[in-house]
Amino acid sequence: MVRIFVEGTEHEVKEGLNLLQAVLDLGYDLPYFCWHPALGSVGACRQCAVKQFRNADDTTGMIVMACMTPVADGLRISIVDEEATAFRSAVIGWLMTNHPHDCPVCDEGGECHLQDMTVMVGHSRREHRFAKRTHRNQYLGPFINHEMNRCIACYRCVRFYRDYAGGDDLDVFGSRNRVYFGRVADGVLESPFSGNLVEVCPTGVFTDKTAKACSIRAWDLQTAPSLCPHCGLGCNTLPGERTGVLRRIRNRYHGEVNRYFLCDRGRFGFEFVNSPRRLGQPVIRANGEATVVSAADAVDRVAAIVRAGGAVGIGSTVASLEANFALRRLVGAERFVMGVGAVEAEHLRTVAAILRDHPARMPSLREVEAADAVLILGEDVTNTAPLLDLAIRQAVLNIPKERVRELGVPAWNDAVVRLVVNRQTGPLFIATPAATALDGIATQTVRATPPTIARLGDAIAKIVDNAVASPGDLPFAVARIVGPAARALRRATRPLVVAGTGTGDIAVLRAASNIARALSRHIPDTALALVVPDCNSVGAALFDAPDLSAIEGREDIRAVLVLEPARTSRERRAALDAVLDRADHVVVLDHLQSTVSDRAEVVLPAATFFECNGTLVNNEARAQRFYQVFAPGDEVRASWRWLQRICQQAHGEGSASWSGPDDLTAAMSAELPELGPIVGLVPRPGPGPRSRVPRQSHRVTGRTAVNAHLTIREPKPPTDDEAPMTFSMEGSPGRPPPDLVARYWSPGWNSVQALTRFQQEIGGAVRGGDPGIRLFADRVVDGDGAYYPPCDEPVPRYGEWLLVPLHHLFGSEPRSMESPGVAERAPAPYLGLNDDDADRLRVDPGDMVTVEIDSRAFELPFRLVDGLPSGCAGLPEGLPAIAGLPPGRWARLKGPS
Amino acid sequence: MTGLLAPLADVALVLGLVLTMAAFLIWYERRLLALWQDRYGPNRVGPFGLLQVVADVIKIFFKEDWVPPFADRTVFVLAPMVIMVAVLMSFAVVPISPEIVVADSSVGVLFILAMSSMTVYASVLGGWASNNKYALLGGLRAAAQMVSYEVFMGISLMGVVVLAGSFRLGDIVEAQSGLWNCVPQFLGMLVFAVAGVAETKRVPFDLPEAEAELVAGYHTEYSGMKFGMFFVGEYLGVTLISALIVLLYFGGWRGPWLPPVVWFLLKTLAVIAVFFLLRASLPRPRFDQLMAYGWKVLLPLALLNLLVTGLVVLS
Amino acid sequence: MRAIFNSLRSMAHIFMHAFAKRETVQYPEERPQIPPRWRGRIILSRDPDGLERCVACYLCSAACPVDCIALQAAETPDGRRYPEFFRINFSRCIFCGFCEEACPTYAIQLTPDFELCELERTNLVYEKEHLLINGTGKYPGYNFYRVAGLAVAGKDKGEAAGEDPPIDVRDLMP
């Protein structure tokens, strides 16, 4: 800690910070543009000028840039100094010379950092008498709108896009006030993190295109803390709603998980909530005729079906713990299965086993960023867990940055750090079936089939610890990575192994476990990051329920209750269809119309993640709660509320007499001790309305007019009996508890930059502690667990191709596909082959290939996939057309005749 | 039979006249105030806006008749009745013409003084029962003010009584056949008029309901017809005091050409107009000023008046 | 004595007002002269080209102290913002004029029309078609898109007032 003096007042601040960070941490207002907590300082905008004094007697002082000045003991500065104020005022005057008169039609208005800073500095009149320079805009894809006139050349966009997120299609062109931030030519921004430009850009150059056509000011949005449901990482989000329509998703800072950024799937994949295919009313179907019925009638019917006996419940990996538990209570633990196939269930069991007692830690994304050697085994993280990709991109800079430390350059001095790093990357080894976006920064990459990747993993583990069984010989092209990777991991102090369920081969997961186990014999800080397919896969795995194959073909099944089915993979779809085909009664709780809901006898409209409260467990077993953003219309209600009513109807009031989420979680933790800690996640409202957190900002508008055309009486807003929040602007005016932060706003800070006021320290934990609970935080691990035995390489079958799932950020997750932008970016169904195999089949890109799986033939257009091993054919996972194919692993291919 | 009917007819006549008068005064005051403030006043409902009162009454009847949950219910309901009853009783002894009088009491003046002290209870009880600090303060002020001014009121009257040699109002009017009492009893008239303003709690002596500091004083919590009774009671009080001034000092119904009733009404309305002119022109004094004015100025004046009158009569 | 004299004098003075001229305007028969800046019924004006001036920036609704303005922004294919709906609940409006103060495009204006009585409150809810007039209202001449940087139909980049033509980034000239 060092002492600094601001306006003569003494403060203790942490060593190694820059002055800007320190004064913001202390709560002072100091304008800035080019500095960003995740990107560091470059001192480009000259906006954060302060006066620095030599000692207490010095009254003259000198102007310094706060973001480029390290804090030092006894440092004396003044922010309000007249000269410094005049300097800052002049700077913003210059920055504004070319800024257009656009605020009324700019989507950034109302949450614009430039607006805030201009007001903070007091600049109100343009003194530049000459004409403004203008730029032409570019088409940047379905997500991002470009309005280059508004640029103040802070360079944050390219520093984020290129330096931080590793993109290379956004760049800066031109010189002086003609600089242009954009692509070489019009086109889609390729980075999966392009949406963050909306938040990174301090003004309205990059704005959210999906929200542009029906723009809403930030102050009018009703928001609540939520979670991203589109992958297993559990990123924290802030969805915003107005007039019953979900309008946008913004990032919610979590010190350990997503921190400052979101991926484009998470940011733009929310529109399924507003889909015309949303189920709104309970429906009973008889003789092919669907009738809308009242909620009570639907509950009666389902209760009658359950009472008749022979009902099984199919849980979901995309539903909350609460919904799954309510279903389990309704049908009984022994008749409750998880809606996944046998292969995936085996994966999830392995993941759960690793979480429970593996000597290596499951790292949070922040811990991933700290890793100094990374091995990715089989997983295409960019497409299955995008934020993990971003974290790994930071991790590979750790070794090159050691030199920065040696030079005594502070870590926040971004320009110097980049200069010293000079595009070097630390050890990153990638073994995947197809090329990945991370290949560019990898030390070495290999392409191999999943079984080979698994054997490669075992080979690496064997070098680290000889106790691992020998996996046998590897092809030379693959084997060359073994030595370097093993050495790099062994030398590291915080090695990281990344694997997951993405390859669909359990052996890969086991091999990764073996490597991490071997490493942790030597290195205590070994981390093993596992990627799971769905937002609650781990939570579902902790139910220890059997999978769909357990009830396949059973005779005693009369009725099936399906909870929010996610039929993304071929295996899941086939397994579910096999069960549904045999059932007399099918009941579905879901939010979207689907082929399952079309065949159901009773359809109950379930609330989406944004319309109810619940708990999800992410890939590192962090249980986090999401909160209702808005009250759904029609008869939509939370799945567990439906199931509770059915349960009480069928088995009596006492069978599910939970009054609220606290009761429910208490019951759940009593039955499933592993989920015990989640009891502590449920906040209890204090006495009185002032202890509740308002979901609307204090500036929300139109209250007496927005519904005036329907009723002049201004109905009371819905009351929230599940969370200590309100659906209005009324409530506690103070700082909310960390897990209930519904918006970032602080006096004078209307943009997302107000976030600094919600952190314990900049870049640290959320003020009051990061929300969520690690389930296995205090596990005791027996370090001497056994290694998994190596798997056998499947014998290549003559004339058949091994099918490998290929993941796509846009496309592999079906709910996000309801967003028009995501659907536009998603690939059409295809079959991927490498060059040689294409030659063998004599096909050209676009030709139709006949694919025969499990003796059923389909036609798919062929597409060249780089690096795919020979004998492997890639199928894009999760695309609706692909998910309908049979689940077999092998396929016969035939080119066009 | 007629012996029984005649007093009843008198009662009905006086009651009707007096209540019509009170209603009419509402319009009369508004029109006069408007006249002195360069406005028109109510002129829309009925001819010259005369039916404004009817509209107001309809409105006031349809208002929610609310009794505050924290009030002393019985007393709260009783208070406005007291003022109505007390003032209406007083009119029983007021001779409107030589023929029209309900009860030509030989102690009419004393009866009126007694009844007017009853009206204090209305204010005090209303203020107390409301259980509201403003109402209570208003009630306290009303009590102090009315009890004080009653003293000078009575004393100032004595001069007239001495001159007429009777407490009967009819006799007093008869005694003015030559010279109206306003000349010999000028001082007494002034004191009586001022005390009358204070008794009826009219501007400038409306401290019990001073809206600037007490919201509405003792009737803050009253609404609907209960408020209406206070309201009408005040106008009845004004009518009574005016009628008394006319009877005691301006020769009552006496006058040439016109019938006595008309003369009486015209004179009363003229005195009422002076009451309204006071409201239109004078600001409200402080409470201590009010009390000092009463005890230090009016009391000596009233005593002086009585003394001189006595001396003159005796000599 | 002095106080009594003063009181009597003011009574006389007030009494003399009985003979003064009346100030009251007998409203329904006699029409008052309303100044043009009177804050009465709210309208939405059009720009000199006859297009809607409102760009749906939400500033009027934000400024409204009784929250009686609600709107929803939309965009034409050529990039002009407009309110999809624009609703004012006049039964809540207090005619403070903040909306007009806040409006950056002179779209929302208050007019001297004060005769807004209705028997049904619902009739006081005005939609855009009730609010929009065919004219520029009090502020002729102003056209927001002529000074804004946004390109719309009929005005490309760099064609607004006080703008240079767009920069060709590929130009090598300094």
Side-chain angles (χ1 to χ4, degrees):
Chain A
M1 299 298 265
V2 294
R3 289 173 313 135
I4 64 168
F5 297 85
V6 185
E7 323 296 358
T9 316
E10 187 180 325
H11 295 286
E12 292 258 312
V13 298
K14 229 166 88 176
E15 234 163 321
L17 300 180
N18 62 53
L19 196 47
L20 174 62
Q21 212 173 335
V23 295
L24 289 175
D25 261 345
L26 293 172
Y28 288 95
D29 286 345
L30 181 57
Y32 62 86
F33 287 114
C34 67
W35 176 80
H36 184 284
L39 304 178
S41 323
V42 287
C45 70
R46 317 314 278 171
Q47 190 57 66
C48 59
V50 294
K51 198 66 146 316
Q52 181 184 343
F53 301 101
R54 250 186 296 279
N55 50 45
D57 303 326
D58 182 9
T59 51
T60 319
M62 58 172 179
I63 284 182
V64 296
M65 294 307 126
C67 74
M68 298 302 285
T69 311
V71 291
D73 203 35
L75 187 70
R76 288 169 185 278
I77 60 153
S78 169
I79 297 171
V80 298
D81 179 85
E82 215 170 281
E83 260 186 310
T85 313
F87 185 99
R88 295 196 297 263
S89 175
V91 167
I92 212 152
W94 299 324
L95 290 176
M96 294 290 281
T97 52
N98 291 317
H99 196 73
H101 184 63
D102 263 4
C103 295
V105 289
C106 175
D107 283 334
E108 194 86 355
E111 51 176 343
C112 177
H113 189 55
L114 180 60
Q115 266 178 354
D116 285 352
M117 296 300 105
T118 311
V119 172
M120 193 179 285
V121 169
H123 174 80
S124 60
R125 187 161 293 275
R126 185 169 182 263
E127 278 154 12
H128 182 73
R129 290 173 291 112
F130 305 97
K132 295 178 181 182
R133 67 103 177 85
T134 58
H135 281 298
R136 292 207 179 276
N137 302 330
Q138 284 181 331
Y139 169 77
L140 297 179
F143 300 136
I144 302 292
N145 185 60
H146 194 218
E147 187 60 48
M148 193 47 213
N149 278 359
R150 299 172 185 154
C151 182
I152 56 164
C154 73
Y155 280 70
R156 280 217 300 218
C157 53
V158 284
R159 286 173 59 214
F160 166 75
Y161 197 89
R162 300 181 70 86
D163 298 347
Y164 193 88
D168 60 0
D169 55 331
L170 182 81
D171 214 335
V172 51
F173 308 93
S175 61
R176 55 186 182 90
N177 73 352
R178 296 155 45 106
V179 289
Y180 188 90
F181 297 85
R183 287 170 50 90
V184 172
D186 279 16
V188 176
L189 283 178
E190 286 154 15
S191 168
F193 310 105
S194 66
N196 293 303
L197 292 175
V198 175
E199 286 182 45
V200 166
C201 177
T203 174
V205 177
F206 300 102
T207 50
D208 186 340
K209 201 185 234 176
T210 61
K212 183 164 172 268
C214 53
S215 145
I216 289 283
R217 293 278 174 229
W219 62 65
D220 275 341
L221 290 170
Q222 179 167 296
T223 51
S226 190
L227 298 173
C228 177
H230 297 300
C231 83
L233 290 180
C235 295
N236 290 205
T237 58
L238 277 179
E241 174 264 3
R242 169 98 167 156
T243 60
V245 179
L246 195 64
R247 304 286 179 160
R248 70 172 195 195
I249 302 274
R250 283 289 163 100
N251 179 52
R252 179 163 64 99
Y253 181 89
H254 187 291
E256 288 296 324
V257 188
N258 50 320
R259 307 205 342 120
Y260 292 95
F261 304 112
L262 283 182
C263 72
D264 286 0
R265 180 154 89 193
R267 189 180 293 268
F268 301 112
F270 65 87
E271 285 178 72
F272 69 96
V273 180
N274 312 326
S275 163
R277 284 177 43 219
R278 270 304 291 278
L279 300 170
Q281 302 288 347
V283 168
I284 292 182
R285 200 175 270 108
N287 308 324
E289 191 120 349
T291 15
V292 172
V293 296
S294 72
D297 288 350
V299 168
D300 276 349
R301 170 66 76 90
V302 181
I305 292 172
V306 172
R307 261 201 310 269
V312 292
I314 298 180
S316 173
T317 51
V318 294
S320 64
L321 290 180
E322 284 82 354
N324 277 312
F325 179 72
L327 180 61
R328 185 172 181 267
R329 175 63 65 91
L330 173 62
V331 296
E334 67 289 346
R335 303 185 69 82
F336 174 73
V337 298
M338 215 26 95
V340 295
V343 175
E344 188 180 351
E346 181 62 24
H347 276 86
L348 294 184
R349 269 194 294 279
T350 312
V351 170
I354 291 171
L355 285 168
R356 283 183 186 117
D357 53 356
H358 194 283
R361 273 173 317 116
M362 279 291 264
S364 66
L365 290 179
R366 188 196 187 87
E367 287 166 330
V368 169
E369 283 180 16
D372 53 2
V374 186
L375 168 69
I376 300 177
L377 218 52
E379 195 71 17
D380 181 7
V381 289
T382 317
N383 290 310
T384 55
L387 257 283
L388 191 56
D389 163 291
L390 198 59
I392 290 170
R393 284 179 190 277
Q394 312 318 311
V396 296
L397 299 177
N398 285 334
I399 295 294
K401 275 183 183 170
E402 274 172 13
R403 176 80 186 127
V404 177
R405 239 185 327 276
E406 282 164 26
L407 291 171
V409 176
W412 43 260
N413 197 338
D414 190 56
V416 180
V417 170
R418 298 281 160 197
L419 195 70
V420 174
V421 168
N422 192 20
R423 289 173 188 271
Q424 301 171 71
T425 55
L428 167 64
F429 297 89
I430 303 177
T432 50
T436 71
L438 286 170
D439 288 354
I441 55 167
T443 319
Q444 265 184 303
T445 62
V446 290
R447 301 282 96 92
T449 62
T452 315
I453 290 171
R455 291 202 296 131
L456 163 71
D458 280 336
I460 294 171
K462 176 141 187 82
I463 294 182
V464 178
D465 183 0
N466 207 30
V468 179
S470 170
D473 288 340
L474 286 166
F476 173 72
V478 176
R480 71 193 160 84
I481 197 179
V482 171
R487 271 197 301 281
L489 289 170
R490 181 70 185 80
R491 257 205 308 271
T493 51
R494 291 178 305 278
L496 168 69
V497 181
V498 180
T501 57
T503 56
D505 194 331
I506 189 72
V508 175
L509 210 49
R510 288 178 174 163
S513 160
N514 284 351
I515 303 173
R517 190 180 289 278
L519 282 170
S520 52
R521 295 249 153 104
H522 308 284
I523 309 161
D525 253 348
T526 305
L528 170 59
L530 297 181
V531 178
V532 292
D534 288 325
C535 58
N536 204 16
S537 287
V538 171
L542 296 181
F543 272 80
D544 274 335
D547 58 87
L548 286 169
S549 65
I551 54 169
E552 211 176 313
R554 247 167 69 176
E555 290 298 327
D556 60 337
I557 294 171
R558 300 263 85 80
V560 179
L561 278 74
V562 191
L563 174 67
E564 302 176 25
R567 305 197 305 156
T568 44
S569 67
R570 293 180 291 143
E571 189 202 14
R572 280 190 200 176
R573 183 176 288 214
L576 185 60
D577 283 348
V579 172
L580 294 183
D581 286 343
R582 298 185 68 92
D584 299 336
H585 308 285
V586 176
V587 179
V588 171
L589 291 99
D590 203 357
H591 25 255
L592 288 177
Q593 174 268 332
S594 67
T595 47
V596 182
S597 74
D598 284 346
R599 64 188 292 181
E601 183 182 329
V602 186
V603 180
L604 301 174
T608 60
F609 298 89
F610 309 101
E611 296 155 342
C612 64
N613 303 296
T615 313
L616 300 178
V617 183
N618 79 349
N619 68 324
E620 37 151 355
R622 187 186 299 273
Q624 303 183 98
R625 266 189 90 72
F626 58 89
Y627 293 93
Q628 191 177 4
V629 178
F630 63 107
D634 296 342
E635 284 291 332
V636 176
R637 53 194 74 176
S639 292
W640 74 264
R641 290 280 188 195
W642 281 117
L643 293 164
Q644 180 187 22
R645 277 183 70 179
I646 296 164
C647 194
Q648 287 179 327
Q649 190 92 340
H651 307 312
E653 290 290 322
S655 59
S657 57
W658 317 301
S659 61
D662 40 354
D663 276 3
L664 177 58
T665 42
M668 186 157 33
S669 65
E671 270 187 45
L672 302 161
E674 276 185 340
L675 295 173
I678 65 167
V679 176
L681 280 178
V682 184
R684 282 173 186 78
R690 298 287 275 184
S691 65
R692 288 170 169 262
V693 178
R695 282 184 174 87
Q696 292 177 354
S697 80
H698 60 291
R699 288 178 178 152
V700 72
T701 73
R703 180 176 52 85
T704 64
V706 71
N707 291 318
H709 61 307
L710 304 172
T711 164
I712 197 81
R713 299 198 185 280
E714 288 154 34
K716 192 168 167 270
T719 49
D720 192 342
D721 45 8
E722 292 191 15
M725 302 185 88
T726 62
F727 289 101
S728 68
M729 66 205 286
E730 285 153 13
S732 159
R735 195 186 304 281
D739 49 342
L740 294 178
V741 173
R743 63 185 61 251
Y744 292 124
W745 183 86
S746 182
W749 299 81
N750 299 292
S751 74
V752 66
Q753 311 291 330
L755 173 58
T756 54
R757 302 294 194 243
F758 289 81
Q759 294 167 320
Q760 263 162 17
E761 56 176 359
I762 288 171
V766 178
R767 195 170 285 212
D770 283 324
I773 291 176
R774 291 289 298 266
L775 288 183
F776 300 104
D778 46 2
R779 62 193 184 145
V780 183
V781 175
D782 171 18
D784 285 334
Y787 290 106
Y788 288 107
C791 74
D792 296 322
E793 178 99 14
V795 185
R797 302 193 194 172
Y798 178 72
E800 289 192 32
W801 268 259
L802 181 64
L803 293 177
V804 186
L806 298 178
H807 295 270
H808 290 276
L809 181 69
F810 305 113
S812 292
E813 204 281 328
R815 275 169 306 180
S816 63
M817 284 285 277
E818 295 291 318
S819 297
V822 172
E824 185 187 326
R825 295 282 306 273
Y830 67 91
L831 181 90
L833 291 171
N834 72 10
D835 250 343
D836 296 345
D837 288 357
D839 282 348
R840 267 164 63 197
L841 284 174
R842 298 206 181 81
V843 287
D844 290 320
D847 285 352
M848 296 305 269
V849 180
T850 309
V851 186
E852 195 188 311
I853 310 171
D854 297 347
S855 342
R856 285 165 63 194
F858 306 88
E859 283 214 322
L860 283 173
F862 154 72
R863 191 206 240 190
L864 208 57
V865 173
D866 257 355
L868 209 59
S870 282
C872 273
L875 275 180
E877 181 83 359
L879 291 183
I882 301 296
L885 302 186
R889 277 188 85 190
W890 295 90
R892 291 180 178 280
L893 302 183
K894 221 162 76 204
S897 43
Chain B
M1 197 66 190
T2 38
L4 196 68
L5 273 181
L8 274 184
D10 272 355
V11 170
L13 185 67
V14 172
L15 211 57
L17 197 65
V18 166
L19 286 177
T20 314
M21 190 70 158
F24 169 75
L25 285 193
I26 297 173
W27 173 85
Y28 187 50
E29 173 164 34
R30 290 181 63 184
R31 287 297 294 225
L32 279 181
L33 286 179
L35 187 68
W36 291 318
Q37 290 168 355
D38 301 352
R39 300 184 282 117
Y40 291 111
N43 63 353
R44 292 281 157 185
V45 193
F48 305 105
L50 270 168
L51 295 183
Q52 182 68 44
V53 180
V54 180
D56 285 349
V57 167
I58 293 172
K59 182 192 78 172
I60 216 164
F61 265 112
F62 282 98
K63 288 242 176 182
E64 185 187 359
D65 190 15
W66 188 70
V67 179
F70 44 81
D72 183 341
R73 203 186 157 86
T74 320
V75 182
F76 187 84
V77 175
L78 218 54
M81 296 180 189
V82 171
I83 192 167
M84 285 291 284
V85 169
V87 180
L88 283 176
M89 292 279 278
S90 305
F91 277 103
V93 299
V94 172
I96 293 167
S97 76
E99 294 81 32
I100 310 172
V101 56
V102 177
D104 194 9
S105 165
S106 57
V107 285
V109 173
L110 291 181
F111 181 76
I112 286 174
L113 284 177
M115 278 301 135
S116 82
S117 23
M118 287 294 288
T119 59
V120 182
Y121 287 102
S123 315
V124 175
L125 292 180
W128 174 261
S130 298
N131 209 351
N132 166 318
K133 58 188 170 209
Y134 297 122
L136 180 62
L137 283 173
L140 286 176
R141 280 186 182 185
Q145 172 180 336
M146 290 170 78
V147 167
S148 303
Y149 276 74
E150 208 131 88
V151 175
F152 336 129
M153 196 167 158
I155 295 174
S156 65
L157 271 181
M158 288 308 120
V160 177
V161 173
V162 167
L163 280 185
S166 167
F167 279 110
R168 189 194 301 273
L169 283 163
D171 293 351
I172 294 175
V173 176
E174 289 304 328
Q176 299 177 59
S177 53
L179 183 66
W180 287 356
N181 276 342
C182 58
V183 180
Q185 285 294 317
F186 182 72
L187 208 56
M189 181 189 75
L190 277 186
V191 175
F192 182 77
V194 172
V197 174
E199 274 298 290
T200 50
K201 304 179 285 284
R202 290 283 306 178
V203 185
F205 296 150
D206 62 338
L207 284 97
E209 52 189 273
E211 67 274 0
E213 60 235 56
L214 292 186
V215 187
Y218 57 91
H219 58 64
T220 302
E221 297 290 353
Y222 282 90
S223 63
M225 205 48 221
K226 287 206 272 297
F227 167 75
M229 277 153 93
F230 273 119
F231 197 62
V232 171
E234 182 184 316
Y235 280 107
L236 285 176
V238 172
T239 316
L240 179 65
I241 295 293
S242 304
L244 281 179
I245 290 176
V246 169
L247 287 171
L248 298 174
Y249 300 101
F250 289 97
W253 56 81
R254 288 177 169 278
W257 310 306
L258 295 172
V261 182
V262 178
W263 268 117
F264 181 79
L265 285 180
L266 283 179
K267 287 179 185 176
T268 310
L269 284 177
V271 177
I272 290 172
V274 177
F275 268 77
F276 294 161
L277 182 59
L278 281 174
R279 172 172 175 186
S281 40
L282 295 184
R284 182 188 302 134
R286 242 174 24 227
F287 196 73
D288 62 317
Q289 290 171 333
L290 174 85
M291 295 311 264
Y293 184 63
W295 289 106
K296 292 183 182 166
V297 179
L298 293 185
L299 180 63
L301 278 181
L303 286 173
L304 183 71
N305 179 52
L306 182 58
L307 207 62
V308 171
T309 310
L311 282 176
V312 169
V313 169
L314 286 180
S315 61
Chain C
M1 277 320 280
R2 212 193 149 81
I4 292 171
F5 173 72
N6 280 347
S7 298
L8 291 175
R9 197 184 56 179
S10 52
M11 282 170 72
H13 183 81
I14 297 287
F15 184 77
M16 291 317 283
H17 269 276
F19 309 105
K21 185 183 159 288
R22 308 289 90 180
E23 293 290 343
T24 313
V25 178
Q26 295 283 20
Y27 159 59
E29 300 89 34
E30 203 181 323
R31 309 299 297 191
Q33 185 62 44
I34 306 289
R37 300 208 310 189
W38 177 272
R39 300 197 308 261
R41 181 169 57 86
I42 298 170
I43 54 105
L44 288 174
S45 61
R46 292 175 186 273
D47 65 21
D49 301 341
L51 297 165
E52 270 178 62
R53 257 182 182 158
C54 178
V55 298
C57 69
Y58 294 93
L59 285 186
C60 49
S61 68
C64 182
V66 289
D67 284 346
C68 76
I69 306 179
L71 66 151
Q72 169 63 61
E75 207 174 67
T76 61
D78 69 16
R80 283 182 75 105
R81 292 277 172 111
Y82 69 98
E84 192 179 17
F85 69 80
F86 196 108
R87 188 176 303 126
I88 299 182
N89 182 354
F90 278 109
S91 73
R92 285 288 187 181
C93 180
I94 57 169
F95 301 98
C96 64
F98 283 9
C99 48
E100 183 174 359
E101 295 271 325
C103 183
T105 68
Y106 293 138
I108 196 164
Q109 297 176 12
L110 278 77
T111 64
D113 177 13
F114 58 89
E115 292 165 316
L116 276 164
C117 285
E118 295 285 351
L119 289 172
E120 284 287 321
R121 273 179 78 197
T122 42
N123 294 345
L124 285 167
V125 178
Y126 279 42
E127 299 289 342
K128 192 167 89 172
E129 63 261 35
H130 309 127
L131 297 166
L132 201 59
I133 62 162
N134 281 322
T136 55
K138 286 181 270 186
Y139 308 97
Y142 186 75
N143 188 335
F144 172 75
Y145 285 107
R146 294 281 149 206
V147 292
L150 220 59
V152 294
K155 192 214 83 174
D156 201 1
K157 287 276 173 196
E159 290 177 1
E163 276 190 354
D164 284 333
I167 283 164
D168 178 6
V169 185
R170 290 180 176 75
D171 187 4
L172 288 178
M173 295 301 283

